[in-house]
Amino acid sequence: MEINTLIERINELSRKQRSTGLEEWEKAEQEALRQEYLGFIRGQVNDTLSQIKGD
């Protein structure tokens, strides 16, 4: 999933959680999306660090 689409969906679920609450399947989706986002960020950090070490 594209990162911008991922962030939009995470934010959409977050807004819904604050207003009306989430169903169990939405909570599971939210957690899965958050894990995917964190994996993306960790990958970027690792790439940056490997580039720094390579210099």
Side-chain angles (χ1 to χ4, degrees), residues 32-43:
L33 292 171
R34 286 177 173 168
Q35 292 304 316
E36 187 175 342
Y37 176 75
L38 288 174
F40 176 80
I41 297 300
R42 287 181 182 121

Side-chain angles (χ1 to χ4, degrees), residues 12-23 26:
E12 182 181 319
L13 288 169
S14 179
R15 284 189 295 273
K16 184 177 180 189
Q17 183 178 24
R18 286 190 300 264
S19 64
T20 61
L22 297 176
E23 295 184 25
E26 290 170 316

Side-chain angles (χ1 to χ4, degrees), residues 1-10 33 36-37 40:
M1 182 180 289
E2 184 183 320
I3 191 68
N4 291 332
T5 307
L6 184 70
I7 292 170
E8 286 176 23
R9 182 63 179 152
I10 290 170
L33 292 171
E36 187 175 342
Y37 176 75
F40 176 80

Side-chain angles (χ1 to χ4, degrees), residues 44-54:
Q44 284 187 324
V45 169
N46 286 336
D47 288 346
T48 301
L49 290 175
S50 67
Q51 288 176 2
I52 292 171
K53 289 179 183 177

